[in-house]
Amino acid sequence: MIPGARLVMLGRQGAGKGTQCTRLSRHFVVPHISTGDMLRAAVKEGTAFGRKAKEYMDAGELLPDDIIIGVVEERLLKDDTRNRGYILDGFPRTESQAESLAAITADLPLDLVIDLAVPTDVVLERLAARRVCVDCGANYAVHAPPKHGWTCDHCGGEVIQRADDTEDAIKRRLDIYEAETAPLIEWYEERDLLMVVDGDGDPDEVTARLIRTIDTARR
Ligand code: AMP
């Protein structure tokens, strides 16, 4: 992928988007913009915005479109994304967000949208077992913990279960995904931007598949 490429990663919660986007951003040296990570940082800072965001997140609900669109627009105006491109993770999640993104990026349009496809039973298992670093967001699992207790291998942060990885919140998030986000797959297909990549299997194999897909799309 040449510098300046602009990519969106779609996929169910628990499809491994976060891990794969982090790897791709290192491989291609482009900023990884995760709306979930940005919101979790605001929650940790304890700002008024963060406290409000936490209510939505813990319930598994989406933040209102106008709020999250404002957050993303501000981020996409920064020099690094304008010069180097980006990998957007967790946005857009509704048709209205996709329309706003198209308007925000009218002068520098998206190059590619990837749907990281993983079956529902697999994501349910992954979400229940998922553990994350509170500081850098690195992903672990009950069966694949950090090397030393629940301390992150990368930054030494505490590794915990996400507050929104409860059974009720997981179910709500997957319902919202089917109703609001899944229709974006067709939306981007109609605009000739979509490629589907099989996200099931060994994480290293999935990364290799993604890199091949992006490299092919860029040619
Ligand atoms: P994620 O880490 O991407 O699963 O996001 C965690 C939570 O942050 C979601 O369940 C929502 O509450 C909120 N969130 C993240 N991205 C968005 C978005 N594009 N629109 C609305 N809410 C979002």
Side-chain angles (χ1 to χ4, degrees):
M1 190 156 73
I2 55 162
R6 293 166 293 276
L7 195 135
V8 163
M9 183 76 76
L10 293 177
R12 285 194 176 80
Q13 286 74 21
K17 287 193 305 293
T19 303
Q20 295 299 339
C21 286
T22 303
R23 291 173 173 205
L24 292 176
S25 101
R26 286 191 193 131
H27 180 89
F28 292 114
V29 199
V30 295
H32 170 199
I33 302 178
S34 155
T35 43
D37 285 351
M38 288 162 84
L39 295 173
R40 278 183 288 277
V43 171
K44 214 172 151 205
E45 276 170 24
T47 57
F49 171 68
R51 284 196 296 278
K52 193 78 212 150
K54 187 173 183 337
E55 287 174 24
Y56 288 99
M57 294 166 80
D58 286 355
E61 300 291 337
L62 294 181
L63 269 75
D65 280 339
D66 54 338
I67 295 179
I68 196 78
I69 288 164
V71 169
V72 171
E73 180 165 22
E74 196 181 320
R75 181 65 187 86
L76 292 185
L77 285 173
K78 298 227 164 100
D79 279 350
D80 62 339
T81 52
R82 291 195 66 82
N83 297 332
R84 289 221 55 99
Y86 48 82
I87 301 175
L88 253 182
D89 166 16
F91 186 96
R93 267 171 145 108
T94 65
E95 195 171 316
S96 147
Q97 292 181 12
E99 274 162 4
S100 297
L101 181 62
I104 293 167
T105 58
D107 59 335
L108 292 170
L110 294 178
D111 293 295
L112 183 64
V113 176
I114 293 179
D115 174 34
L116 191 60
V118 177
T120 314
D121 53 334
V122 177
V123 297
L124 276 174
E125 240 172 69
R126 282 194 197 167
L127 286 171
R130 174 161 78 176
R131 299 294 182 270
V132 294
C133 171
V134 289
D135 289 331
C136 73
N139 269 258
Y140 298 92
V142 175
H143 50 271
K147 293 193 185 78
H148 306 288
W150 290 101
T151 302
C152 180
D153 293 340
H154 305 290
C155 75
E158 189 191 359
V159 174
I160 58 154
Q161 181 165 34
R162 265 171 54 167
D164 60 350
D165 276 347
T166 61
E167 208 177 316
D168 283 351
I170 288 172
K171 189 171 175 310
R172 181 73 190 128
R173 272 149 62 213
L174 287 172
D175 285 349
I176 292 178
Y177 173 83
E178 295 305 332
E180 305 270 2
T181 311
L184 293 183
I185 295 172
E186 205 180 314
W187 199 88
Y188 280 118
E189 199 164 23
E190 283 164 6
R191 284 155 185 81
D192 214 14
L193 282 169
L194 187 85
M195 299 210 65
V196 180
V197 173
D198 180 4
D200 202 1
D202 177 72
D204 291 344
E205 276 168 30
V206 176
T207 307
R209 260 177 237 151
L210 284 165
I211 291 171
R212 273 199 304 275
T213 304
I214 294 167
D215 281 340
T216 312
R218 297 293 309 171
R219 267 191 226 122

